[in-house]
């Protein structure tokens, strides 16, 4: 049984990064989830970290399992874990399934700015700039002005807009203010 503190997790991540062993990190994070009782870090957040470690270790199927367990856990962690599922599905060259996940996120409504940012970055990375621009725009409009998320969304949106050759608009004017 474990009470997980931010310091405990930081030490675990630091040791794993120094060893450059993503698979071992993923295993340790999953073990931590199994022993989890409570703590500063939600179980779902640890599962997302484990999923990312599995992806880095080249094991996307294990990553998908961890992302799904984070979704099933239901703990609010800021970024919808389904964004990781969509990104992994794109990585696995399953764009149809990835789009279904993204549609489900949008259909559920009340998308956080952090989730909008993650979806926008994924779509941009996998060659879907128009859809990425729409997600970044919605996220920027929903984000708290001046917040880190707002600034990140404005920057991502700007880069996508330039790539698309779209004209400047009122949100672009906010980018200069957010620096």
């Amino acid at each position: 049984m474990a009470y997980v503190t931010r310091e405990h997790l930081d030490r675990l991540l630091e040791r794993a990064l120094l060893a450059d062993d993503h698979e071992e990190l993923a295993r340790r994070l999953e073990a931590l989830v199994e022993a989890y009782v409570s703590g500063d870090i939600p179980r779902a957040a640890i599962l997302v970290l484990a999923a990312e470690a599995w992806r880095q270790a080249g094991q996307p199927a294990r990553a998908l399992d961890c992302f799904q367990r984070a979704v099933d856990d239901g703990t609010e962690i800021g970024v919808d874990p389904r964004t990781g599922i969509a990104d992994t599905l794109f990585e696995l060259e399953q764009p149809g399934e990835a789009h279904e996940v993204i549609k489900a996120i949008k259909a559920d409504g009340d998308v956080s700015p952090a989730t909008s940012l993650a979806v926008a970055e994924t779509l941009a990375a996998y060659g879907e700039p128009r859809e990425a621009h729409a997600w970044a725009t919605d996220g920027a409009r929903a984000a708290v002005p001046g917040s880190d998320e707002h600034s990140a969304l404005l920057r991502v949106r700007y880069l996508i807009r330039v790539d698309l050759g779209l004209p400047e608009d009122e949100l672009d004017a906010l980018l200069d203010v957010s620096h």
Side-chain angles (χ1 to χ4, degrees):
M1 299 174 104
Y3 177 85
V4 181
T5 64
R6 186 161 302 282
E7 293 80 22
H8 177 208
L9 191 59
D10 286 346
R11 281 194 306 274
L12 177 66
L13 294 171
E14 183 179 323
R15 275 185 268 148
L17 290 174
L18 288 173
D20 195 29
D21 189 345
H22 298 288
E23 186 172 332
E24 179 60 24
L25 173 59
R27 289 182 196 286
R28 286 178 180 248
L29 290 167
E30 283 193 283
L32 193 58
V33 167
E34 296 306 317
Y36 188 95
V37 174
S38 65
D40 301 340
I41 311 294
R43 182 185 344 260
I46 299 168
L47 285 163
V48 167
L49 289 171
E52 291 299 341
W54 282 122
R55 285 181 72 186
Q56 290 292 320
Q59 297 194 35
R62 303 253 340 233
L64 285 172
D65 177 61
C66 286
F67 281 128
Q68 187 58 55
R69 288 171 52 203
V71 170
D72 295 343
D73 183 76
T75 308
E76 176 64 37
I77 58 171
V79 177
D80 189 321
R82 294 177 294 178
T83 62
I85 293 172
D87 195 31
T88 304
L89 289 169
F90 273 117
E91 180 183 327
L92 292 170
E93 298 180 9
Q94 297 175 19
E97 292 90 337
H99 280 286
E100 289 303 315
V101 172
I102 290 169
K103 285 179 192 172
I105 292 169
K106 187 167 213 108
D108 286 349
D110 197 30
V111 176
S112 73
T115 296
S116 292
L117 178 60
V119 172
E121 289 174 334
T122 294
L123 291 167
Y126 289 99
E128 303 201 18
R130 292 208 179 277
E131 197 173 343
H133 187 264
W135 275 88
T137 299
D138 291 346
R141 288 189 172 129
V144 174
S147 68
D148 289 341
E149 287 171 339
H150 189 244
S151 297
L153 281 156
L154 290 173
R155 281 191 302 278
V156 165
R157 183 182 178 279
Y158 171 80
L159 293 171
I160 296 167
R161 181 191 61 73
V162 169
D163 285 346
L164 288 170
L166 298 173
E168 286 188 35
D169 61 16
E170 76 283 353
L171 287 176
D172 290 314
L174 297 175
L175 184 58
D176 295 337
V177 176
S178 68
H179 287 316

